[in-house]
């Protein structure tokens, strides 16, 4: 049988989402970014919000995310994506606005911007890709790098006295009254991918209902930065990252109302 | 005749923003310009025109909120004073690199560092030479009155959108804080969706619909293409230099000597001119209104007719370098200034002129 006889609409069991472009991704083998991009594209497609969605890409390995999702995009300076998203959403409140940020971008240089965007309860989705390392610049320590983890700038492993503690920024933003849905997921297995997709879809739906800041952390791998194979990376993530960054919903509530905070 | 009012320079910036159809203001308090956001918050323009006003967590955030708003084709602005503008340098570079329009007001105070809250013009280099990293320019307007504070808000937006480039109003604590009579502009409605489509439809990120996706970015990893981007920017700056030079010439026809001064220094120099003329010294003044583009050609022409120039600035001598480049050695170019927050008196300017330029 010729392949042309097989490729027919009635035989179709899987189709690439139209929100994903045909551009070849620049990500390394085993990198989580590509999977997360695909999930995002599927969610935007399934919700039918391609025309209403505006993405903000960070500085980091996903700086070129705008080449892969066929929506309008802004490319931010390092760490500033939440400020850009604030500008977009305040002036275009009907849009679905999201930022896509790495751990260096969000939890180090952009800590002020993410904290205040979450605290104002900006009606945006934040996709936070935590691979515990600076992928793009060649594998230096990130704020989320684990104690003892070897990176280019912690060649003997992260030391507490020298570098301080790994930052659980997701738990921090969950404390802020402006966030409504805060969750931590991963994408190393089909089941995990499905869970993450569900979480991201919920986050976008919440933004549609003006529920405030939606924060989805995806604990991720960086084989090139960690200098181990993709398969070993998944194992390393499960063994070392999951205990410190436990998966699951951290907060699922309504953005808090103003009355509680008013002066008398 | 528009509505007449007695107003502070900073208050006028706020009023003019509302009246010219500004969509969003994002700012962070700093003396001597906090009245801009305070006035906006009292006026509550969101009830009136739908304009958004937001106090950001820092100037770093404000300028990036501008990047966000500008990317969607909205008229966005911020105001700050010198230390805050330094924090915006990164954002301004990105805005220029992504070719986005916005308006930034710098009500200068004296530096370096925290310096003092008194007026200064020492951010001239920062404003006209780009401010952040990379080869880029801001369009820089220098008001010398509260009336011009009003007029340049609309003009700043007009130029910013015409050239898809950040524009800056470079003023100082004197003009920000002083009260003068001002004729306010009539209200212009904010752009509708259709108008944004008509004016910015080929680049604004308004949601991908029946067209290629739009990306607001300053990134281009391919150096050949990045050079092309830079060539495009440089061609644009050249076009701005050819079409947008604005200046005022006072009593230059019979002048032997020319004072070059902008903003509040130019106000003081008008008195110096009067004193000098009473003493029989024929002095004229060239007041650049646009600092970029600089009135280089006009100065070059004047250099063929006069005996010398003096650049009077509230800085340690910054604009004088551009005057010297324009004069190109034809006649002497001197500098006089007070700085660190000190404002020169008309008399000391005359003395400096006599001493440095005329001799004796
Ligand atoms: C102001 C500034 N400082 C530093 C850099 C260099 N830089 C580029 S990406 C990056 C780290 C990105 O790491 P992360 O956010 O964890 O994303 P990843 O690459 O791992 O996906 C750094 C430090 C920059 N581009 N801008």
């Amino acid at each position: 049988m010729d392949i042309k006889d097989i490729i027919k609409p009635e035989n179709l069991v899987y189709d690439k989402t139209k929100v994903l472009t045909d551009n070849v991704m620049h990500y390394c083998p085993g990198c989580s970014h590509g999977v997360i991009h695909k999930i995002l594209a599927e969610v935007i497609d399934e919700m039918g919000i391609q025309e209403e969605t505006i993405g903000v890409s960070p500085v980091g390995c996903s700086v070129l995310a705008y080449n892969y999702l066929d929506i309008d995009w802004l490319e931010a300076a390092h760490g500033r994506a939440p400020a850009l998203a604030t500008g977009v959403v305040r002036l275009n409140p009907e849009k679905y606005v999201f930022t896509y940020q790495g751990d260096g971008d969000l939890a180090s240089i952009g800590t002020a911007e993410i904290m205040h965007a979450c605290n104002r309860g900006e009606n945006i989705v934040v996709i936070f890709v935590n691979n515990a390392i600076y992928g793009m610049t060649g594998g230096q320590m990130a704020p989320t790098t684990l104690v003892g983890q070897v990176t280019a700038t912690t060649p003997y492993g992260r030391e507490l006295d020298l570098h301080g503690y790994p930052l659980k920024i997701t738990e921090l933003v969950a404390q802020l009254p402006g966030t409504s849905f805060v969750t931590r997921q991963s994408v190393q297995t089909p089941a995990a991918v499905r869970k993450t997709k569900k979480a991201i879809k919920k986050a976008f739906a919440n933004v549609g209902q003006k529920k405030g800041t939606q924060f989805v952390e995806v604990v991720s791998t960086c084989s090139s930065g960690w200098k181990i194979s993709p398969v070993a990376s998944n194992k390393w993530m499960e063994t070392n990252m999951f205990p410190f960054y436990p998966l699951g919903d951290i907060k699922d509530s309504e953005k808090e109302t103003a009355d509680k905070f008013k002066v008398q | 005749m528009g509505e007449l009012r007695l107003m502070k320079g900073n208050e006028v910036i706020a009023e003019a923003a509302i009246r010219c159809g500004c969509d969003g203001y994002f700012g962070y308090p700093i003396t001597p310009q906090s009245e801009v956001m305070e006035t906006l918050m009292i006026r509550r323009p969101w009830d009136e025109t739908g304009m958004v006003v937001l106090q950001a967590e820092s100037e770093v955030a404000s300028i990036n909120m501008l990047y966000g708003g500008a990317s969607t084709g909205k008229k966005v602005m911020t105001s700050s004073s010198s230390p805050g503008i330094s924090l915006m340098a990164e954002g301004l570079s990105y805005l220029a690199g992504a070719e986005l329009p916005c308006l930034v007001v710098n009500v200068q105070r004296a530096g370096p560092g925290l310096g003092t809250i008194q007026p200064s013009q020492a951010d001239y280099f920062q404003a006209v030479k780009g401010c952040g990293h990379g080869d880029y320019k801001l369009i820089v307007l220098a008001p010398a009155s509260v009336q011009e504070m009003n007029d340049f808000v609309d003009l700043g937006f007009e130029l910013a959108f015409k050239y898809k480039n950040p524009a800056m109003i470079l003023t100082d604590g004197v003009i920000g804080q002083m009260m003068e009579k001002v004729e306010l502009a009539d209200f212009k409605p904010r752009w509708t969706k259709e108008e944004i489509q008509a004016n910015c439809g080929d680049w604004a990120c308004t949601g991908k619909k029946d067209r290629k996706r739009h990306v607001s970015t300053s990134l281009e990893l391919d150096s050949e293409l990045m050079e092309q981007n830079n060539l495009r920017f440089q061609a644009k700056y050249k076009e701005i230099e050819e079409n947008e030079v604005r200046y005022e010439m006072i009593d230059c026809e019979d002048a032997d000597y020319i004072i070059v001064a902008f903003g509040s220094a130019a106000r003081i120099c008008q008195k110096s001119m009067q004193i000098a003329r009473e003493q029989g010294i024929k002095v004229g003044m060239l007041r650049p209104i646009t600092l970029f583009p600089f009135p280089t050609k006009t100065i070059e022409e004047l250099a063929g007719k006069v005996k010398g120039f003096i650049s009077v600035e509230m800085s340690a001598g910054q604009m004088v370098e551009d005057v010297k480049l324009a004069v190109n050695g034809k006649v002497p170019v001197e500098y006089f200034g007070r700085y660190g927050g000190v404002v020169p008196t008309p008399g000391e300017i005359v003395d400096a002129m006599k001493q440095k330029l005329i001799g004796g």
Side-chain angles (χ1 to χ4, degrees):
Chain A
M1 203 193 260
D2 192 77
I3 184 120
K4 285 200 192 87
D5 300 322
I6 302 169
I7 303 176
K8 286 179 186 163
E10 61 267 32
N11 291 335
L12 200 68
V13 288
Y14 173 82
D15 193 12
K16 181 178 81 72
T17 158
K18 72 170 194 301
V19 175
L20 216 51
T21 66
D22 288 331
N23 293 330
V24 177
M25 286 191 187
H26 68 282
Y27 298 114
C28 309
C31 173
S32 310
H33 278 307
V35 182
I36 303 166
H37 284 15
K38 181 165 170 254
I39 293 173
L40 256 171
E42 285 177 357
V43 166
I44 292 166
D45 197 7
E46 286 165 22
M47 289 178 69
I49 55 170
Q50 185 182 18
E51 294 170 2
E52 317 301 332
T53 304
I54 295 178
V56 184
S57 69
V59 169
C61 283
S62 50
V63 65
L64 291 171
Y66 56 73
N67 282 339
Y68 309 129
L69 263 68
D70 194 19
I71 52 170
D72 279 0
W73 280 96
L74 283 64
E75 201 292 302
H78 199 15
R80 317 298 176 216
L84 269 69
T86 300
V88 175
V89 79
R90 289 286 176 137
L91 298 171
N92 303 272
E94 74 287 2
K95 298 286 186 222
Y96 290 82
V97 182
F98 72 90
T99 70
Y100 187 104
Q101 304 178 256
D103 43 69
D105 195 78
L106 182 140
S108 187
I109 196 167
T111 315
E113 284 76 15
I114 192 63
M115 280 293 160
H116 286 278
C118 288
N119 195 49
R120 287 188 302 263
E122 297 298 341
N123 193 43
I124 58 173
V125 175
V126 176
I127 308 289
F128 168 41
V129 180
N130 177 10
N131 56 14
I133 206 157
Y134 284 16
M136 192 192 207
T137 38
Q140 297 83 5
M141 180 186 70
T144 49
T145 293
L146 298 172
V147 178
Q149 187 183 335
V150 172
T151 72
T153 49
T154 55
Y156 308 108
R158 180 174 184 153
E159 297 165 58
L160 275 184
D161 289 348
L162 193 56
H163 305 109
Y165 302 86
L167 184 56
K168 293 192 181 188
I169 198 145
T170 307
E171 276 79 354
L172 279 177
V173 302
Q175 298 298 314
L176 303 174
T179 55
S180 76
F181 178 47
V182 179
T183 185
R184 184 182 283 125
Q185 302 293 336
S186 65
V187 291
Q188 83 286 16
T189 63
V193 167
R194 274 197 294 277
K195 274 193 191 160
T196 301
K197 183 169 170 182
K198 218 174 132 194
I200 291 179
K201 204 168 200 172
K202 177 172 173 167
F204 274 83
N206 283 352
V207 153
Q209 293 168 36
K210 307 271 190 277
K211 285 194 171 177
T213 313
Q214 312 299 314
F215 195 100
V216 182
E217 172 179 344
V218 186
V219 180
S220 299
T221 56
C222 177
S223 300
S224 301
W226 297 354
K227 307 206 185 319
I228 46 178
S229 75
V231 174
S233 294
N234 281 345
K235 186 98 199 107
W236 192 89
M237 175 176 72
E238 286 169 354
T239 312
N240 297 292
M241 287 183 76
F242 288 0
F244 193 77
Y245 300 113
L247 304 186
D249 293 351
I250 298 170
K251 180 183 190 178
D252 187 4
S253 64
E254 299 295 317
K255 173 171 139 176
E256 295 197 38
T257 54
D259 304 342
K260 189 170 142 185
F261 304 99
K262 265 198 181 146
V263 290
Q264 297 301 314
Chain B
M1 189 88 181
E3 191 182 335
L4 286 182
R5 283 215 213 145
L6 180 68
M7 283 179 94
K8 249 189 185 189
N10 287 336
E11 293 167 355
V12 161
I13 293 284
E15 187 62 36
I18 300 169
R19 288 177 180 242
C20 81
C22 177
D23 294 299
Y25 171 97
F26 302 86
Y28 188 81
I30 183 169
T31 310
Q33 64 77 53
S34 295
E35 295 88 352
V36 179
M37 187 164 39
E38 288 169 6
T39 305
L40 285 167
M41 290 298 187
I42 291 168
R43 287 278 273 107
R44 299 176 67 85
W46 49 93
D47 288 335
E48 192 179 336
T49 69
M51 175 182 173
V52 168
V53 186
L54 185 65
Q55 179 168 337
E57 64 270 29
S58 69
E59 292 86 350
V60 174
S62 338
I63 194 71
N64 283 286
M65 289 171 184
L66 258 60
Y67 188 120
S71 293
T72 66
K74 303 281 184 178
K75 283 189 188 175
V76 285
M77 67 179 286
T78 185
S79 62
S80 185
S81 182
S82 312
I85 301 293
S86 291
L87 280 184
M88 292 186 194
E90 176 197 47
L92 282 166
S93 172
Y94 277 71
L95 278 148
E99 292 192 90
L100 293 171
C102 68
L103 180 64
V104 176
V105 182
N106 181 1
V107 185
Q108 294 167 94
R109 57 191 252 179
L114 206 46
T116 168
I117 58 174
Q118 306 301 329
S120 163
Q121 296 182 321
D123 302 348
Y124 175 90
F125 279 151
Q126 189 195 43
V128 306
K129 308 296 179 190
C131 189
H133 61 282
D135 277 319
Y136 75 94
K137 300 279 190 190
L138 306 174
I139 299 165
V140 185
L141 300 165
S145 63
V146 173
Q147 185 64 52
E148 284 187 338
M149 291 284 258
N150 174 77
D151 302 347
F152 291 177
V153 172
D154 195 31
L155 176 64
F157 274 123
E158 186 191 313
L159 294 173
F161 273 86
K162 183 170 173 189
Y163 294 101
K164 289 200 285 171
N165 204 71
M168 176 180 276
I169 294 179
L170 185 72
T171 182
D172 62 60
V174 173
I175 299 187
Q177 292 296 329
M178 78 183 179
M179 292 184 92
E180 278 188 315
K181 187 177 81 174
V182 56
E183 183 187 346
L184 296 172
D186 292 335
F187 280 91
K188 270 202 295 198
R190 289 169 52 231
W191 283 346
T192 59
K193 259 195 181 125
E194 291 69 34
E195 283 168 314
I196 291 176
Q197 187 55 33
N199 297 330
C200 319
D202 53 346
W203 57 268
C205 296
T206 49
K208 184 205 133 89
K209 189 179 182 184
D210 308 323
R211 58 159 169 78
K212 272 181 63 181
R213 69 181 175 284
H214 288 167
V215 181
S216 267
T217 182
S218 59
L219 176 71
E220 179 47 74
L221 288 170
D222 182 328
S223 54
E224 296 287 335
L225 295 178
M226 193 60 214
E227 187 181 41
Q228 289 305 314
N229 284 354
N230 269 280
L231 288 168
R232 194 173 70 246
F233 303 157
Q234 293 305 319
K236 174 165 84 176
Y237 304 145
K238 202 155 193 79
E239 199 187 324
I240 294 171
E241 283 179 317
E242 272 157 23
N243 299 325
E244 306 299 346
V245 176
R246 287 164 172 80
Y247 56 85
E248 186 187 7
M249 277 214 265
I250 307 169
D251 294 343
C252 288
E253 300 77 26
D254 66 339
D256 289 328
Y257 301 99
I258 302 284
I259 297 173
V260 187
F262 68 94
S264 48
R267 290 287 289 262
I268 299 161
C269 287
Q270 266 182 274
K271 183 70 186 171
S272 309
M273 277 173 63
Q274 199 189 326
I275 297 169
R277 289 235 169 212
E278 278 163 11
Q279 296 176 14
I281 309 165
K282 288 186 189 162
V283 186
M285 177 160 67
L286 177 84
R287 174 172 79 89
I289 291 173
T290 50
L291 298 177
F292 178 81
F294 194 67
T296 306
K297 277 196 192 123
T298 310
I299 293 176
E300 200 184 325
E301 282 161 23
L302 281 170
K305 299 177 197 155
V306 300
K307 292 181 188 159
F309 291 81
I310 185 160
S311 181
V312 179
E313 311 169 44
M314 282 144 59
S315 74
Q318 301 189 11
M319 182 175 65
V320 64
E321 292 191 6
D322 288 330
V323 179
K324 278 186 179 164
L325 281 172
V327 171
N328 201 12
K330 276 190 208 143
V331 288
V333 177
E334 297 295 339
Y335 145 81
F336 176 71
R338 295 294 302 271
Y339 39 102
V342 179
V343 177
T345 64
E348 37 180 14
I349 294 169
V350 177
D351 291 345
M353 216 161 62
K354 284 199 230 166
Q355 219 177 64
K356 295 188 169 192
L357 205 56
I358 305 165

